[in-house]
Amino acid sequence: MSTGSTPLLDARGVTMRFGGLTAVNNVDLTVREGEIIGLIGPNGAGKTTFFNCLTGLYVPTEGTVSYRDRVLPPKPHLVTQAGIARTFQNIRLFANMTVLENVLVGRHTRTKEGLLAALIRGPGYRRSEADNRERAMALLEFTGLADKADHLARNLPYGEQRKLEIARALASEPGLLLLDEPTAGMNPQETRAAEELVFAIRDRGIAILVIEHDMRFIFNLCDRTAVLVQGQKIVEGDRETVQNDERVITAYLGEPLEQPTAGQPPAGQPTAEQPAGAQATDAQPTDAQSTEPSA
Ligand SMILES: Nc1ncnc2c1ncn2[C@@H]1O[C@H](COP(=O)(O)OP(=O)(O)OP(=O)(O)O)[C@@H](O)[C@H]1O
């Protein structure tokens, strides 16, 4: 699919300081319609902090984030409403709700009916509820989870919990989806399936910005990849540009960027046996909550 030239996301000079620590330093990044963009860097490079700045969880110390030419207010629900959805490095699902209910929660930014309508349950409300269920079921079909619609989220295997997070993010009808380590803890087969899913999402006209440690995943998928090191973007470009850049090689201490076994996280990353955030939690999942560091 050809990539468009219209900028969707435009981050300019984004800087985030925590006391004396500059976690993100003057980062520019543009994502255009139809693009899949990778964001890589060693542990602690500032990738998740940058995502948190883009999605309003953090108010950047400096810089602006625009979506479709409008500067976004740093409020998560307004960012979601504008058209940016995200998943988290550590899975955040409603563990004791069903798979379908989790996706329905993701639709709330696109639902107009308020509390009163819900209490009265008039025909308008019932129509809207039926429409929401239909859309949620369509997303479960799309992500391959339809036959688990009535299962509790907590009972899904790990790879399917990650898919459910994506389905829930898609429920807000985003134009841009941010994925934070979507394959962490997945086995190679699940990782390949995740690649297919990302392509399928892009084919629906949704641009993607993805943080990932699995370089094969990144280079298979991404039109461009930006590399963060100690909060700074040191290079951005296609596979060849990134792989041949001396600064990137140095940042990774000479480790090959291509990993020997597809889907295997590098040392220090969660494994399939001990995935980080493998359990769905009762934590509020998306924009209403947490400003906690996710590293
Ligand atoms: N809320 C916070 N308060 C203080 N320091 C923070 C906070 N959030 C992140 N940091 C620090 O900012 C730096 C960047 O962390 P961040 O989690 O963004 O890195 P990352 O590239 O996503 O790492 P990883 O690949 O390990 O997830 C780290 O030094 C981290 O300790």
Side-chain angles (χ1 to χ4, degrees):
M1 184 176 170
S2 65
T3 55
S5 59
T6 318
L8 271 183
L9 177 82
D10 200 22
R12 292 283 126 210
V14 171
T15 295
M16 185 75 214
R17 294 193 195 95
F18 300 108
L21 174 82
T22 305
V24 176
N25 194 351
N26 198 22
V27 172
D28 294 340
L29 189 78
T30 303
V31 181
R32 296 185 177 81
E33 280 182 359
E35 284 188 319
I36 304 177
I37 304 298
L39 185 62
I40 65 171
N43 290 336
K47 304 178 296 294
T48 297
T49 302
F50 184 60
F51 262 30
N52 289 345
C53 292
L54 298 180
T55 52
L57 278 177
Y58 291 160
V59 181
T61 317
E62 285 166 33
T64 55
V65 179
S66 304
Y67 182 74
R68 294 191 190 278
D69 287 334
R70 302 181 77 158
V71 174
L72 289 171
K75 295 260 189 276
H77 69 283
L78 297 179
V79 171
T80 311
Q81 235 168 49
I84 301 179
R86 75 175 288 181
T87 63
F88 289 85
Q89 196 172 345
N90 296 325
I91 291 175
R92 299 180 183 191
L93 293 170
F94 291 103
N96 292 319
M97 284 166 68
T98 67
V99 166
L100 178 63
E101 286 164 347
N102 268 277
V103 180
L104 284 169
V105 170
R107 280 210 52 77
H108 77 277
T109 48
R110 300 291 170 227
T111 308
K112 291 180 189 64
E113 279 67 27
L115 179 64
L116 188 62
L119 289 173
I120 298 170
R121 299 180 75 84
Y125 176 80
R126 286 199 301 272
R127 249 196 322 274
S128 154
E129 202 179 40
D131 179 54
N132 280 333
R133 286 180 81 85
E134 203 175 303
R135 285 169 185 256
M137 276 311 296
L139 283 173
L140 291 179
E141 291 282 354
F142 175 66
T143 48
L145 294 173
D147 59 336
K148 304 265 176 90
D150 296 329
H151 293 213
L152 289 181
R154 69 176 338 123
N155 293 335
L156 291 188
Y158 183 67
E160 291 187 345
Q161 288 189 15
R162 285 225 170 265
K163 276 192 194 168
L164 177 55
E165 270 224 309
I166 292 175
R168 187 180 54 193
L170 292 175
S172 68
E173 299 175 17
L176 172 68
L177 178 62
L178 309 189
L179 301 172
D180 195 346
E181 297 196 30
T183 74
M186 284 188 176
N187 64 37
Q189 206 180 353
E190 289 171 329
T191 301
R192 296 288 81 81
E195 273 181 24
E196 294 306 317
L197 182 58
V198 171
F199 277 133
I201 292 168
R202 195 270 307 272
D203 289 347
R204 291 184 147 209
I206 299 167
I208 290 156
L209 177 60
V210 56
I211 295 175
E212 194 37 83
H213 283 282
D214 181 336
M215 295 303 161
R216 186 171 301 188
F217 181 91
I218 284 285
F219 292 130
N220 279 350
L221 284 174
C222 296
D223 300 301
R224 284 180 289 122
T225 299
V227 186
L228 281 193
V229 176
Q230 294 177 356
Q232 282 182 300
K233 188 174 84 174
I234 57 166
V235 67
E236 178 181 338
D238 60 15
R239 174 184 191 141
E240 211 162 290
T241 308
V242 168
Q243 278 184 319
N244 294 333
D245 191 285
E246 286 299 327
R247 293 161 301 176
V248 177
I249 295 165
T250 308
Y252 280 90
L253 295 171
E255 287 168 29
L257 285 179
E258 186 82 89
Q259 298 191 9
T261 313
Q264 287 302 306
Q269 293 302 306
T271 64
E273 289 72 37
Q274 294 174 309
Q279 292 301 310
T281 70
D282 285 321
Q284 294 294 306
T286 53
D287 50 25
Q289 83 309 341
S290 177
T291 53
E292 82 208 51
S294 59

